[in-house]
Amino acid sequence: LLHESGDSAAALPLMRGVLASARAAHGHRHPMTATAMNNLAAVLGGLGKTKDALDLHYAALAIRKAARGDKHPESAESLN
């Protein structure tokens, strides 16, 4: 909600923490980790950190394609 309300700067450390927790709980190649990566990428994009955001989006897409396949809705979400 912080990011959506325009406070991406406040959301950034929280989303980084969520990603770290997802990686610790599920590993680096799990779809839940990909979701956390997409969320962090959205915050980074809101802060104008386009390269970092794109890197995370592409990494999330690779995880989702490997886990779910090209045609799964979660893979498509990463393309958005």
Side-chain angles (χ1 to χ4, degrees):
L1 291 174
L2 289 171
H3 168 65
E4 291 174 7
S5 67
D7 197 356
S8 295
L12 184 60
L14 297 173
M15 289 297 100
R16 284 191 170 139
V18 169
L19 177 55
S21 294
R23 284 178 170 157
H26 304 291
H28 288 259
R29 306 292 301 166
H30 191 277
M32 291 297 292
T33 301
T35 298
M37 293 168 82
N38 258 2
N39 292 340
L40 176 55
V43 171
L44 289 167
L47 291 169
K49 298 181 181 211
T50 308
K51 184 189 178 322
D52 293 335
L54 284 173
D55 288 347
L56 279 174
H57 277 302
Y58 286 129
L61 176 60
I63 292 168
R64 287 176 165 168
K65 281 185 170 184
R68 308 276 198 229
D70 289 342
K71 301 201 185 306
H72 193 278
E74 287 181 11
S75 296
E77 179 186 16
S78 290
L79 295 172
N80 186 10

